[in-house]
Amino acid sequence: MRLFVSIDLDADLAESVAGVQERFADASGLSFTDPEQAHVTLKFLGDTDPDRVPEIVEAIETAVDDVDFGPFEAEFGGLGVFPSLEYISVLWLGVRDGSEEMTLLHETVEPRLYDLGFDPEEHDFTPHVTLARMEHAGGKELVQENVRELDPTVGRQRVETVRLTESELTADGPAYSTVEAFDL
């Protein structure tokens, strides 16, 4: 199973996410994510033996129980890239309100999964929604220009749940399904 821990965007924000992606439609080299599956990844686990799911669920459940807050409001907006504007591999939508809570969730989940043998992140955690991956630099200048000049607001939602999500790779791209949901 290919697994990750996520906060999913509400379905009613998908149209707004697609609208932001449209602003980059003429940038060659971008491979867009499905706006219906928009999410913030708190921790990527990768290929995982299905027999490990119960211990992973227990670790995430403990982490979510240990955070010192319940449901919270999040606002999604602003643009950025990884790793830099000079070398773009990922185009993303930022998290304005709610980023502190998402960072705390990441920081609480990360050590528990590390204790189970999952590698720690190699970079600082930045809450974001991946809009596209850059396959080649053909449209780099348009991406750079839009990231510098646009400051879209996609919308707000109440975050009530953290999910353990399975990503199944298909011919049409990844298909996501919830393995377990954890209420804040």
Side-chain angles (χ1 to χ4, degrees):
M1 301 175 78
R2 190 169 184 258
L3 300 174
F4 60 92
V5 182
S6 68
I7 293 172
D8 297 351
L9 270 65
D10 291 342
D12 61 342
L13 295 180
E15 191 174 320
S16 296
V17 170
V20 173
Q21 289 174 319
E22 245 174 61
R23 302 292 297 267
F24 294 88
D26 292 336
S28 81
L30 285 181
S31 172
F32 293 98
T33 58
D34 180 352
E36 300 286 334
Q37 299 188 114
H39 65 274
V40 174
T41 300
L42 296 175
K43 174 69 179 166
F44 182 75
L45 303 177
D47 291 328
T48 306
D49 185 330
D51 292 341
R52 300 200 64 201
V53 168
E55 68 180 346
I56 293 166
V57 165
E58 184 178 334
I60 298 167
E61 190 169 50
T62 300
V64 169
D65 286 347
D66 284 351
V67 295
D68 199 18
F69 56 84
F72 60 95
E73 287 292 314
E75 181 179 77
F76 299 90
L79 297 169
V81 296
F82 292 133
S84 71
L85 276 173
E86 288 310 308
Y87 179 80
I88 301 168
S89 63
V90 173
L91 168 65
W92 52 261
L93 174 71
V95 178
R96 291 183 177 137
D97 298 339
S99 103
E100 288 178 22
E101 289 88 346
M102 290 182 197
T103 299
L104 185 57
L105 281 164
H106 163 78
E107 291 171 350
T108 308
V109 166
E110 175 89 7
R112 284 169 178 79
L113 293 172
Y114 176 77
D115 288 347
L116 296 180
F118 292 95
D119 292 334
E121 296 297 326
E122 295 179 3
H123 48 78
D124 289 340
F125 178 71
T126 301
H128 68 279
V129 176
T130 299
L131 296 175
R133 296 191 185 331
M134 185 155 251
E135 307 292 330
H136 63 77
K140 177 179 165 182
E141 288 180 11
L142 177 59
V143 173
Q144 290 170 326
E145 178 183 321
N146 282 348
V147 168
R148 285 186 186 112
E149 294 179 9
L150 300 178
D151 188 23
T153 297
V154 165
R156 299 183 68 81
Q157 77 174 48
R158 185 167 171 81
V159 176
E160 299 177 345
T161 307
V162 171
R163 299 182 190 285
L164 177 61
T165 304
E166 180 179 9
S167 172
E168 195 172 334
L169 300 178
T170 71
D172 296 327
Y176 301 144
S177 60
T178 300
V179 176
E180 191 79 34
F182 309 90
D183 292 334
L184 291 171

